[in-house]
Amino acid sequence: MHAPNSPEGRETGPHDQPISGLEELVARISVSFAGLTPVDIDATITNALARIGSFVGADRSYLFLYDYERGTLSNTHEWCSEGVSAEKDNLQDIPIGEFPGFDAYLDQCNIREIPLVADLPDEEAGLREALQAQSIQSLVLVAMRDGEGTLIGFAGFDAVRSVRPWRPTDIHLLQVTCDLISGALENQRLWRRLAESEAYTRAILEALPDSLLVISADGELEDMIISREEPNLWLAEELRHTSLREFLGPKLVPLMEDLMARVNAGETPAVQLFTIVRQGREIHYEVRATRYREDGFLGLVRDVTQRVEDEKALRSLALELSEVEETQRRELALLLHDGIGQDLSAVHYQIQACLQGEVPDRDRIAMMSSILQDAMRKTQDLTFDLSPPLLHELGLTAALQALARRVEREFGLVCAVTADGDDLPPGAERSVFLYRIARELVLN
């Protein structure tokens, strides 16, 4: 059976719209959503609402979205036929639950058709008044859900100029459009999450003092991001215009291959130091490599030239300190052997002579006493050289005064100590440094 006045062999839909026209409309709308970018999504949704609204002869078509975090519902997109007032600006941030049972009914039944708004029961008087304020006489709504089945909004048709029934094809068109819009919104959320993830990653990379290299499985450079703190940008430019293997040279390529092999063996991250010689200068880079995909590696590259030079300087200083300590040990050993050791040996021989029966005379006893006093003085001087007890018991001033007396005794120089202000506490770290500085200045 064919509808009156319809082309032979073609069924018709509502308002004498042919079914083939509906299929063509759905196809066109589907194509418009294919490969949609976030920039174009709002215009595409509004255009789709205009197309389906015009097709079914509605006075308005629109989209509402839920914001569960804020607990509100808003009219986000709207199309109105000529002469029908727009209501979008008046339908923002409506509290969820404003109309009791409305949200639950739509979530449960997916479709809400109201053939005559004036016939809504008294328990929905609030909804009836809100719809009549927009001059709506009939409407149909279709629920829109995300990929997990959660209600995220709805699309609808309004009849303003007259009461009208809604045909199955009208509802089907709304359902198809809701599915397309839901997919587009999901893609938009994914795009946004991807953009946020990229921005987050970019911020981390920009904050790091490292450059990033993406290296293929065969050891060739695929991509690079140069740190803002890279002091040798000219080297980065050189690397951009050559292969990684050529850039490293035959001496360093084995190090790179070893680094890749260690990553393949499960070492993460594998760390290697590369020393590149350019313009007669050694530039040191530390590379921390890890797996990237199945066929590549990521390398964080940091210029550690200053660190390497500092380590060399520290090793040199440590060697010098070791040589100074060894010199001091030799001097101490010589003092103990040739000074205090000889004095104690002399006293020992004199005591042995007395024990063998010789009667000690006053001169011999006086000589032994003098030798012991000299040994005691040397021991005291040695103690002061190593760590003066007065410095830790009485403080810096007392230790400097003892140093002055020693200088006068040994070198015949008049040396006085004048102290202003409060003395440092005995044993304070600064007092030890100050004492050693004063001692070196005086003795030199």
Side-chain angles (χ1 to χ4, degrees):
M1 176 180 286
H2 306 301
N5 302 321
S6 64
E8 184 177 354
R10 295 174 61 190
E11 296 182 3
T12 59
H15 306 287
D16 295 329
Q17 295 286 352
I19 296 299
S20 61
L22 174 62
E23 294 172 349
E24 181 180 353
L25 176 63
V26 170
R28 288 181 178 275
I29 294 175
S30 299
V31 170
S32 70
F33 278 95
L36 189 63
T37 65
V39 176
D40 301 322
I41 187 170
D42 289 325
T44 304
I45 291 175
T46 301
N47 185 56
L49 292 174
R51 286 183 173 185
I52 62 175
S54 298
F55 185 84
V56 303
D59 295 318
R60 291 194 195 98
S61 57
Y62 44 82
L63 176 68
F64 279 76
L65 292 177
Y66 286 96
D67 185 340
Y68 290 109
E69 290 186 2
R70 299 176 58 189
T72 60
L73 173 69
S74 295
N75 185 183
T76 58
H77 302 78
E78 180 187 53
W79 168 84
C80 299
S81 65
E82 186 176 354
V84 176
S85 63
E87 297 291 339
K88 175 183 173 184
D89 292 341
N90 302 321
L91 300 172
Q92 300 298 309
D93 299 323
I94 303 170
I96 297 176
E98 175 81 6
F99 307 110
F102 174 83
D103 306 301
Y105 181 91
L106 192 61
D107 190 18
Q108 182 177 359
C109 300
N110 288 319
I111 299 172
R112 179 73 189 272
E113 182 180 358
I114 304 177
L116 184 59
V117 171
D119 287 345
L120 283 172
D122 290 341
E123 54 265 27
E124 291 192 285
L127 176 61
R128 181 178 63 219
E129 293 173 0
L131 296 176
Q132 288 176 337
Q134 302 170 53
S135 302
I136 301 174
Q137 298 193 52
S138 304
L139 64 82
V140 62
L141 307 174
V142 172
M144 184 168 64
R145 302 179 183 277
D146 63 13
E148 297 178 354
T150 302
L151 179 68
I152 61 173
F154 56 85
F157 292 139
D158 285 349
V160 174
R161 295 185 176 93
S162 63
V163 176
R164 60 161 291 179
W166 301 103
R167 307 298 178 87
T169 49
D170 301 340
I171 297 172
H172 173 69
L173 189 55
L174 264 182
Q175 289 175 321
V176 171
T177 304
C178 279
D179 290 341
L180 292 172
I181 293 175
S182 175
L185 292 176
E186 182 64 24
N187 288 338
Q188 184 185 47
R189 284 191 289 271
L190 293 175
W191 272 92
R192 186 179 297 114
R193 289 174 57 186
L194 178 61
E196 290 173 352
S197 176
E198 290 180 347
Y200 178 73
T201 303
R202 175 67 60 177
I204 291 176
L205 291 175
E206 290 180 350
L208 289 174
D210 306 282
S211 297
L212 176 68
L213 301 185
V214 180
I215 304 171
S216 67
D218 58 357
E220 289 302 326
L221 183 66
E222 293 184 347
D223 194 10
M224 61 189 298
I225 300 175
I226 303 302
S227 168
R228 294 179 179 179
E229 299 183 19
E230 171 57 54
N232 305 298
L233 293 177
W234 55 276
L235 266 182
E237 287 302 314
E238 179 183 325
L239 180 56
R240 289 183 191 277
H241 296 90
T242 185
S243 71
L244 182 58
R245 292 177 180 273
E246 183 180 350
F247 176 83
L248 292 175
K251 292 184 178 180
L252 297 182
V253 166
L255 291 181
M256 181 187 71
E257 293 174 344
D258 175 70
L259 184 65
M260 295 164 59
R262 285 154 51 198
V263 173
N264 287 330
E267 184 178 344
T268 302
V271 182
Q272 181 64 55
L273 184 68
F274 289 83
T275 301
I276 299 172
V277 180
R278 292 292 189 279
Q279 300 176 357
R281 173 173 170 257
E282 288 188 348
I283 304 173
H284 305 279
Y285 283 100
E286 181 184 78
V287 178
R288 305 176 68 86
T290 187
R291 168 68 63 190
Y292 174 63
R293 304 190 309 255
E294 290 297 323
D295 58 347
F297 306 87
L298 283 181
L300 287 177
V301 183
R302 179 178 300 186
D303 186 314
V304 293
T305 303
Q306 187 61 51
R307 189 187 78 187
V308 171
E309 292 176 352
D310 290 343
E311 290 174 351
K312 288 181 179 179
L314 286 174
R315 286 194 294 270
S316 177
L317 180 59
L319 181 59
E320 291 179 8
L321 289 174
S322 177
E323 292 176 351
V324 170
E325 289 177 354
E326 183 59 31
T327 299
Q328 291 176 338
R329 291 190 188 95
R330 288 197 300 269
E331 292 177 352
L332 179 60
L334 184 62
L335 177 61
L336 290 173
H337 181 268
D338 294 343
I340 299 173
Q342 293 289 353
D343 291 342
L344 293 178
S345 296
V347 173
H348 173 72
Y349 292 141
Q350 294 297 330
I351 292 175
Q352 288 295 323
C354 293
L355 291 176
Q356 290 175 2
E358 298 183 10
V359 179
D361 54 25
R362 292 179 60 86
D363 292 338
R364 176 170 286 178
I365 293 176
M367 180 181 63
M368 286 191 292
S369 175
S370 176
I371 293 173
L372 286 174
Q373 287 178 353
D374 189 50
M376 291 170 59
R377 179 183 58 78
K378 292 176 181 178
T379 303
Q380 186 180 36
D381 290 344
L382 180 60
T383 301
F384 265 89
D385 288 340
L386 295 175
S387 182
L390 287 177
L391 185 61
H392 301 279
E393 296 172 1
L394 300 179
L396 178 61
T397 301
L400 291 176
Q401 289 172 344
L403 176 62
R405 291 193 295 271
R406 178 183 173 188
V407 170
E408 287 186 357
R409 184 183 69 245
E410 292 188 3
F411 303 105
L413 299 175
V414 177
C415 188
V417 176
T418 302
D420 295 330
D422 297 333
D423 198 0
L424 292 172
E429 185 176 356
R430 283 186 298 165
S431 66
V432 175
F433 289 134
L434 291 173
Y435 175 82
R436 295 198 179 280
I437 291 172
R439 178 180 177 279
E440 291 301 320
L441 289 173
V442 171
L443 295 181
N444 289 334

